[in-house]
Amino acid sequence: MIVAAVVIVMAIATIVEKIHGTTFVSTKIYSTWWFSAIWSILAIASIARIVTSGMQKTLTVLTLHISFVVILTGALTTHLTSKKGYLHLRCGETARLYTEQSNNGDMRTATLPFSVKLNDFNIKNYEGTTTHSDYASHLTFSTDGGSTNETVSMNNIAVVEGYRFYQTSFDQDMRGSILTVTYDPYGTGITYIGYGLLIVSAVLLLILRTPRIKQLYKTLTRPLPPPSPVEREPLTPLKPSISGKKFFIFHFSFFILLAASGFAKTPVVAKEDAERAERKLIVYNGRVCPLNTLAHDFCLKITGKTSYKGLSAEQLLLSLPMAPEEWSEKPLLKIKNKALKERLGIKTDLARIKDFYESDGRYKLDILLNEQMNKAEDEQDKKLVRSIYDVDEQISLVNAAVTGKLIEPYKGNNPPSETRISAEILYNQQPFTVVGAFMILAGILIIVIAMASPPALSRREGAGERKDKSQKTKDFSPFIFHCSFFILFIISAFQLAVFLLRWYVSGNIPLSNGYETMAFVSLSTSLLTLLAIWMLRKQTFVCNTVTIGGLMIAGLTLLVAHLSEMSPQITSLMPVLHSPWLTTHVSLIMISYSLFAFMAVIAGVDLVKKDARLDALNRLMLYPAEIFLTIGIFLGAIWANQSWGTYWSWDPKEVWALISMLIYCIPFHTESLPFMKKAKVMDWYLIMAFLSILMTYFGVNYLLGGIHSYAGN
């Protein structure tokens, strides 16, 4: 009940923050005495549970629970004894006073026990671009023991006599810097001890395995006993709905587009020239890349495809400035919104630039937008407005290409290697959408084969019983297993190769935005599926279930990443993401999301099949899933303390990750919650619990926002 109360309060708080703002929810909820009291009661209840449950017999479980009590104690200590404020300095200025912020949001002037001087402030850019890679304040701290020079930048703090200084912002003229100042002499240390206990005990829990884990694994791997004679019923093979007929499941028609007929009179860059130009270095999306990347994104954004009527993306991009008037007559723009096409009177699949202007030169989209802005209340009107903005962006891109403003030549002195250029051109050709669709189709095909071809009878004969040879059917399970494993192996190898290729091209691990994390979820799901079916290869039914779930989850996440509003473009890292914590923090959480998705799918199958092995598999997967999520959250807290000056800021993403962690910890406590021992209850719980994961990943990004909003796109 206490955990449920904490979850409900935190969920409501994130909604209140969206409506009334961060300051309001911080002062009215997170900083109140009653909110601290709820967490204190939870800590006391945890201690009581430790004493009365007898968990002292299992050291790893004991230290895991103690670590949470230590973490909560550290958080309370930080809340009661820490200081936080802001220091604004101009170049050459020395100060001892800073603005301190109390827990209720009030501001007051406080004094540092030493002086701080800003010698210089500068912004570092990515080579050859104007995109910021870091912000740095060069400071001199004068204490009773002498003076020291320190440089404070993103993820690089200065610590002087217990006071910690973080780079927060800067003045527009770049002659001033704003630093976050924190002082937490006790709370952070206590909390970090708790983090250490948690990580060590969680890892040991997986390695050493508790009696409960061993029991679940034994249930999963042992064969099910044969049914009793009373329960036995004649088994008849499933018959296809229409037997003796052949079906063509897929039927493709290919149409060859003759480019010469469409561009006979329009000047077009020769294919050979376009191929030579694709390696030309430009500045795009704040990074240095080959022209091929810009052309690929431009063509896809404008026409919906990576080529245009036989022309390559480079040919289209470079040909537009040659004859703007003639190109304005060509159907170029892909418009997805049917209502907008009807309002504009466009009946073809692609629209012309000319279609967006009245005979007197007025811009039709401006006219439509003015009409819609006054009545955009229902969802259809809002979609229409969004589509107007999207098409306007397409037209702006075409105009920029025509005038030559879209291409910014690289003028630096440290260009990428020829190998990296070739790698990026290769990466731009990868067919992720096709792979995602193939994975889903493969999963559906396995389901169809499994349903149409039941395994052969494997029952043992009872006393006085005879086998009915007429009911024998061919067992296709081994065939399904080997085909599934082969398909998954090839797909996983492809995904891993693309992941590593993007890593090499971008220069950093691809886990920095929504698209990259979704692609990583798909990759981790594929790899986890391979691992699971290899470990459980003797359990054919479980293997096939896991395979189907893995293919469907990996395929859907891949399609969502490509077909949603997430941008697949490679961009430069934000300064705050230049940290070694990025890899461990994000990857652990994404792997946990993959496992939770697995569990939801398997729970759905178990509700239909009612197989004890599926229930055991879910309960086993709950251990690594919850542990990975928990460790990922608290490693993120350490990273936050290095970047923002506080290890917990009650950001909506942090809050919902914590909510998910608390929700998924409940099924472990079957002794105090005996109803969780029932397979049906567990299945429904895991399905509903996955909604918190969806809210954490998608809901926060697109509905609530916060300092983690960069993960959305």
Side-chain angles (χ1 to χ4, degrees):
M1 292 297 293
I2 301 173
V3 173
V6 171
V7 167
I8 292 171
V9 169
M10 289 193 296
I12 293 174
T14 60
I15 299 173
V16 172
E17 180 175 359
K18 177 65 176 178
I19 299 172
H20 297 287
T22 302
T23 302
F24 179 87
V25 75
S26 177
T27 57
K28 301 298 182 182
I29 297 181
Y30 296 135
S31 297
T32 58
W33 65 268
W34 59 266
F35 188 73
S36 298
I38 292 176
W39 284 102
S40 299
I41 294 172
L42 181 60
I44 294 171
S46 299
I47 295 172
R49 180 64 183 166
I50 292 172
V51 174
T52 59
S53 65
M55 66 175 65
Q56 298 92 335
K57 299 177 182 179
T58 308
L59 182 61
T60 54
V61 176
L62 175 64
T63 54
L64 186 68
H65 284 76
I66 290 176
S67 68
F68 284 108
V69 176
V70 175
I71 290 171
L72 291 176
T73 302
L76 180 62
T77 304
T78 294
H79 178 71
L80 296 176
T81 64
S82 67
K83 301 176 183 178
K84 182 177 181 179
Y86 304 95
L87 175 63
H88 181 204
L89 291 170
R90 298 286 294 175
C91 286
E93 181 179 280
T94 302
R96 298 178 70 97
L97 301 178
Y98 73 103
T99 302
E100 185 178 297
Q101 181 179 8
S102 64
N103 290 330
N104 60 12
D106 294 336
M107 298 290 187
R108 69 180 186 87
T109 300
T111 305
L112 293 169
F114 48 82
S115 63
V116 185
K117 179 181 179 181
L118 177 63
N119 300 313
D120 190 20
F121 174 81
N122 57 59
I123 296 177
K124 299 179 181 178
N125 295 331
Y126 288 100
E127 202 277 329
T129 74
T130 58
T131 303
H132 303 333
S133 64
D134 205 355
Y135 316 107
S137 296
H138 304 280
L139 306 168
T140 297
F141 295 92
S142 299
T143 64
D144 294 339
S147 298
T148 57
N149 294 322
E150 300 280 354
T151 298
V152 176
S153 59
M154 301 303 298
N155 295 305
N156 182 45
I157 66 175
V159 182
V160 180
E161 295 187 1
Y163 286 84
R164 301 162 69 91
F165 295 81
Y166 305 80
Q167 184 64 54
T168 302
S169 186
F170 56 91
D171 294 344
Q172 292 299 316
D173 62 358
M174 292 187 291
R175 298 293 297 165
S177 177
I178 299 175
L179 305 171
T180 296
V181 183
T182 65
Y183 182 71
D184 186 12
Y186 312 110
T188 300
I190 297 173
T191 303
Y192 278 15
I193 291 173
Y195 290 169
L197 282 174
L198 183 145
I199 293 172
V200 171
S201 57
V203 172
L204 290 177
L205 183 66
L206 288 179
I207 295 175
L208 300 178
R209 296 191 294 179
T210 64
R212 175 61 176 159
I213 294 178
K214 294 178 181 178
Q215 179 187 357
L216 289 171
Y217 187 75
K218 186 177 180 181
T219 302
L220 176 62
T221 54
R222 71 186 178 193
L224 290 179
S228 63
V230 178
E231 295 174 340
R232 243 177 236 150
E233 295 180 0
L235 295 178
T236 56
L238 294 176
K239 296 181 180 180
S241 57
I242 304 177
S243 58
K245 292 187 178 182
K246 296 181 180 180
F247 294 93
F248 290 95
I249 301 175
F250 304 106
H251 180 71
F252 295 101
S253 298
F254 297 95
F255 298 92
I256 301 176
L257 299 175
L258 300 177
S261 61
F263 302 101
K265 297 181 180 180
T266 305
V268 174
V269 171
K271 186 176 182 180
E272 296 77 11
D273 294 335
E275 290 176 350
R276 285 194 294 270
E278 72 175 0
R279 302 182 69 87
K280 179 182 178 182
L281 291 178
I282 62 169
V283 177
Y284 171 59
N285 269 341
R287 54 184 291 269
V288 180
C289 63
L291 180 69
N292 173 266
T293 300
L294 170 60
H296 177 276
D297 293 347
F298 174 82
C299 192
L300 187 63
K301 179 76 173 179
I302 300 303
T303 69
K305 298 180 180 179
T306 55
S307 62
Y308 176 71
K309 295 186 177 181
L311 296 181
S312 67
E314 291 84 4
Q315 283 180 286
L316 176 63
L317 177 63
L318 298 175
S319 298
L320 287 173
M322 298 174 65
E325 291 296 328
E326 295 183 34
W327 278 104
S328 68
E329 298 282 348
K330 300 291 182 183
L332 280 175
L333 276 62
K334 178 72 174 180
I335 303 177
K336 299 178 182 179
N337 190 286
K338 294 182 179 179
L340 179 58
K341 291 178 69 173
E342 291 176 0
R343 296 289 295 273
L344 294 170
I346 298 172
K347 298 181 180 180
T348 56
D349 187 44
L350 298 176
R352 304 173 301 174
I353 296 293
K354 186 177 180 180
D355 294 332
F356 296 92
Y357 292 91
E358 300 281 7
S359 57
D360 58 1
R362 290 186 300 162
Y363 189 38
K364 291 183 180 180
L365 292 182
D366 280 344
I367 299 172
L368 281 177
L369 188 60
N370 290 331
E371 293 176 358
Q372 290 298 129
M373 291 303 288
N374 296 325
K375 64 172 185 177
E377 296 179 356
D378 59 36
E379 190 61 30
Q380 291 297 325
D381 287 333
K382 291 179 181 179
K383 288 182 179 179
L384 182 59
V385 170
R386 286 196 294 269
S387 297
I388 291 173
Y389 281 119
D390 289 341
V391 176
D392 181 68
E393 182 184 359
Q394 290 176 291
I395 296 173
S396 298
L397 285 173
V398 173
N399 290 334
V402 167
T403 58
K405 296 179 180 179
L406 189 62
I407 301 176
E408 180 184 348
Y410 171 68
K411 299 178 181 179
N413 299 317
N414 188 23
S417 66
E418 289 297 319
T419 304
R420 179 165 290 186
I421 294 172
S422 299
E424 182 156 355
I425 293 174
L426 175 62
Y427 174 81
N428 292 333
Q429 313 307 316
Q430 46 85 19
F432 248 156
T433 307
V434 176
V435 173
F438 175 77
M439 296 176 80
I440 294 175
L441 290 174
I444 295 174
L445 186 60
I446 293 171
I447 294 173
V448 172
I449 296 175
M451 292 181 65
S453 307
L457 295 178
S458 59
R459 297 184 301 176
R460 300 174 184 174
E461 291 185 88
E465 289 186 295
R466 294 181 307 167
K467 288 184 180 180
D468 186 354
K469 295 182 179 181
S470 65
Q471 292 183 2
K472 287 186 178 180
T473 60
K474 188 174 182 180
D475 187 2
F476 282 93
S477 298
F479 172 76
I480 296 173
F481 168 75
H482 288 100
C483 287
S484 304
F485 189 85
F486 177 75
I487 291 171
L488 259 174
F489 182 82
I490 297 300
I491 291 175
S492 300
F494 170 79
Q495 288 183 278
L496 181 61
V498 172
F499 178 82
L500 295 175
L501 187 62
R502 185 178 178 106
W503 190 343
Y504 174 70
V505 168
S506 64
N508 50 72
I509 187 168
L511 291 172
S512 62
N513 56 45
Y515 169 82
E516 292 179 342
T517 53
M518 285 293 285
F520 183 76
V521 167
S522 180
L523 169 62
S524 59
T525 301
S526 299
L527 295 176
L528 288 171
T529 306
L530 272 179
L531 177 63
I533 64 178
W534 180 253
M535 293 177 64
L536 304 171
R537 56 190 177 278
K538 295 182 180 180
Q539 300 290 329
T540 307
F541 171 70
V542 177
C543 279
N544 290 339
T545 303
V546 170
T547 302
I548 293 168
L551 285 170
M552 300 294 282
I553 295 169
L556 283 173
T557 50
L558 209 54
L559 285 179
V560 168
H562 275 266
L563 301 181
S564 67
E565 295 180 358
M566 296 180 180
S567 173
Q569 298 173 354
I570 298 176
T571 58
S572 299
L573 276 184
M574 298 171 60
V576 73
L577 298 181
H578 282 288
S579 171
W581 294 107
L582 174 66
T583 303
T584 51
H585 166 62
V586 180
S587 60
L588 283 175
I589 290 180
M590 290 301 108
I591 292 173
S592 74
Y593 288 177
S594 299
L595 290 170
F596 289 134
F598 254 125
M599 290 155 60
V601 171
I602 292 174
V605 176
D606 191 41
L607 285 172
V608 178
K609 294 293 183 178
K610 299 179 181 178
D611 193 309
R613 293 169 297 177
L614 295 181
D615 179 61
L617 178 60
N618 262 348
R619 294 180 189 271
L620 267 176
M621 285 198 298
L622 186 60
Y623 282 89
E626 178 74 351
I627 287 172
F628 286 168
L629 176 62
T630 304
I631 294 177
I633 289 172
F634 292 120
L635 288 181
I638 297 174
W639 182 13
N641 196 34
Q642 295 295 318
S643 299
W644 298 320
T646 176
Y647 54 82
W648 199 263
S649 58
W650 296 108
D651 177 71
K653 177 76 76 173
E654 296 174 351
V655 172
W656 273 99
L658 183 59
I659 288 173
S660 297
M661 188 196 80
L662 292 174
I663 287 175
Y664 277 101
C665 79
I666 290 176
F668 289 109
H669 301 85
T670 53
E671 296 301 323
S672 56
L673 301 171
F675 61 88
M676 291 302 303
K677 294 180 180 179
K678 298 179 180 179
K680 187 175 182 179
V681 173
M682 181 69 168
D683 291 336
W684 278 112
Y685 188 89
L686 292 177
I687 292 172
M688 300 305 295
F690 189 64
L691 295 176
S692 70
I693 299 296
L694 295 177
M695 182 63 189
T696 304
Y697 189 82
F698 292 106
V700 172
N701 288 338
Y702 297 110
L703 299 176
L704 300 180
I707 56 178
H708 285 85
S709 60
Y710 55 76
N713 192 0

